[in-house]
Amino acid sequence: MHIVVCIKQVPDSAQIRVHPVTNTIMRQGVPAIVNPYDLFSLEEALRLKDKYGGRVTVLTMGPPMAEAALRKCLAYGADEAVLVTDRAFAGSDTLATSFALASAIRQIQNDMAVDLVFAGKQTIDGDTAQVGPGIAKRLDLQLLTYVSKIESLDLEKREITVHRRAEGGVQVLKTKTPALITMLEGVNEMRFATMPNMFRAARYPLKVWDKDAAGIEDVTKIGLKGSPTIVSKVFAPTAKSQKASMIETESGDPRDIAITLLTKLFTQHPKLEKEIGKRAA
Amino acid sequence: MNATTEQPAKKGRKKFELDPALAAYKGVWVFIEHERGEVHTVSWELLGEGRKLADQLGVELAGVVMGAPGEETRRFCDEAYKYGADLCYVVEDPVLENYRNESFTKSLTDLVNTFQPEILLLGATTLGRDLAGSVATTLKTGLTADCTELAIDPENRSLAATRPTFGGSLLCTIVTLNYRPQMATVRPRVMAMPDKDDSRSGRIIEHKLNMIETDIITKVLEFIPDNRADKPQLPFADIIVAGGRGMKNPDNFKLIWDLAAVLGAEVGATRPVVQSGWVELERQVGQSGKTVRPKLYIAVGISGAIQHRVGMESSDVIIAINNDPHAPIFDFATYGIVGNAMTILPALTEAFRQHLATVRKAV
């Protein structure tokens, strides 16, 4: 069995700060991590490998520094890693990204047929959740998003049954491989990297592909040219015209503050008082 | 939210002219999502927003209703008119009984190719995101996810879709100039629910889907409905008490629950709190969690980063408690208290308890 896991290196968004004066992002010192949502998919792929044997290939598109994210995945237990990197990809939106990744997966297929492709349900930097479905459509894979559980996999019959999170419930879906799966967060826990895997990850000769190696001939499908969406402006959110009315008391005593707040709140919003009084019985 | 510092556009703003073949794309569409006989309210919220876009463009607003024969598609259409649709496209076919990516993608893609809308909006639900990503890739057009604001650029009549970016610290406006339809998803509760006008009606355009069950590889074996009673329902809560990293540890976080109990409120949290496992995922408020619009939102130990802000700023009244006087939350809260949450929270809980006791006696 061969599983490809698509991952992305992202800035740890919890640590991004906006400069208070210039309103620009302060990228310096923000650590790059593997998109946390991707790890649930990687762990699920590794579990399938533990059970059925086979190979797990991790794939990413990004700048050369994304190598670190792939090595991290190798340390967790992935077997192979492919970095697709080329200046021609700069400015790719989700449509162009799915084109490039789909093309790279076709090249990976040349080596060994792919049964399953995993992707994160979304990234923490783009938050679009579009690349997974995009790859599935381009490669004509069955699409299984927001999977909470892989119920069964029959490699002989090429059948897979999963639980999929839907609005208001869970769908139990049965389909054929090859399929593309995005895992729901929190459904498994990433294993610890083992010593031998860490050593292997450090020494592993990464496959680094430019657009040609990734099988991309049509450059109008990638980068800015291949991206229908255009960012027309980037801006910092502004304060409302009116800032918060600050509750202060001379004593600074929490009880005084609380009572001052309540008085102000219920005088200015009498409806709220009724609403709370009604419900909190 | 408004722009303060506009940065130069990434691509040159030369005079834009739409490809004549694409100029034929007319009208604003909203995908009407329904499950088990109920339309998801995000669809009505989108019709409210779609109405404004359609009026600005001087075009019609349409609902797209897909389902199995015998489902209440006509009732959904009647409701759609009341929320602002001029017409509905209806596709009825047995293969559309349950949501499946293959059948719904084909159905919606066919419909778009036949009737050519210029704008297509979907709810950013699990269904909407699955479908939107697939349809946009099949049509090779642009899709902007999780928009917090939609507008028409008066210069070129294109859809200007604004969404948080860079992990939510900034906002960006995205346009899809030379591709149609322009697609966008919006999360539930981000847009206000439009008023229902019972006098409105509209017309139906039926469309056939040429697909048979054996064409579809994926089968739905079962649907296990959620037990709604034991899941927190933040998006529709009227009062929410939420805690952030400033609560420092899970023990302190119990103070949030105490206040919520007195108010009969739901408990919310920021992403770091959920990631630390102090509360369950369903309670996460923000760009990667739930969007809420309660009458009262009490934010404790929450700095108010845009990631969180976009999920709760439509609250009617916001009370913020934070020890940092410069925390961004004070820029958009209604009332602010600078101080130690661990001492203010118990005092606030007690003050509410006493006050509500007197209110109740009075009633």
Side-chain angles (χ1 to χ4, degrees), chain B residues 252-273:
Chain B
N252 290 341
F253 203 87
K254 290 194 185 108
L255 299 173
I256 301 277
W257 286 95
D258 293 344
L259 177 56
V262 167
L263 295 176
E266 279 286 3
V267 168
T270 59
R271 179 154 71 185
V273 165

Side-chain angles (χ1 to χ4, degrees), chain A residues 137 145 172 230 238 268 273 279, chain B residues 4 101 130 221 264 335 355:
Chain A
K137 288 296 133 186
T145 51
V172 184
I230 298 163
T238 51
Q268 293 175 357
E273 184 173 27
R279 51 186 295 120
Chain B
T4 35
N101 180 271
D130 186 278
L221 301 184
Y335 303 104
H355 185 86

Side-chain angles (χ1 to χ4, degrees), chain A residues 240 243-246 269, chain B residues 315-320 332-336:
Chain A
K240 276 187 190 168
K243 290 206 171 198
S245 139
M246 301 307 286
H269 305 274
Chain B
S315 308
D316 294 342
V317 176
I318 299 168
I319 298 173
F332 59 95
T334 328
Y335 303 104

Side-chain angles (χ1 to χ4, degrees), chain A residues 13 122 126 137 142 145 165 167 170-172 174-175 230 232-233 235 238 243 245 247 268 273 279, chain B residues 4 99 101 126 129-130 163 171 173 175 218-219 221-222 224 226 264 271 309 331 334-336 355:
Chain A
S13 67
Q122 68 199 67
K137 288 296 133 186
Q142 292 304 306
T145 51
R165 162 94 336 239
E167 295 298 313
V170 172
Q171 281 185 320
V172 184
K174 183 177 179 181
T175 194
I230 298 163
S232 71
K233 70 178 181 206
F235 55 100
T238 51
K243 290 206 171 198
S245 139
I247 312 292
Q268 293 175 357
E273 184 173 27
R279 51 186 295 120
Chain B
T4 35
Y99 175 74
N101 180 271
T126 53
R129 287 176 149 216
D130 186 278
R163 70 185 305 267
L171 294 162
T173 301
V175 294
T218 300
K219 308 291 173 194
L221 301 184
E222 198 187 337
I224 309 162
D226 290 334
R271 179 154 71 185
R309 176 176 174 176
D331 292 342
T334 328
Y335 303 104
H355 185 86

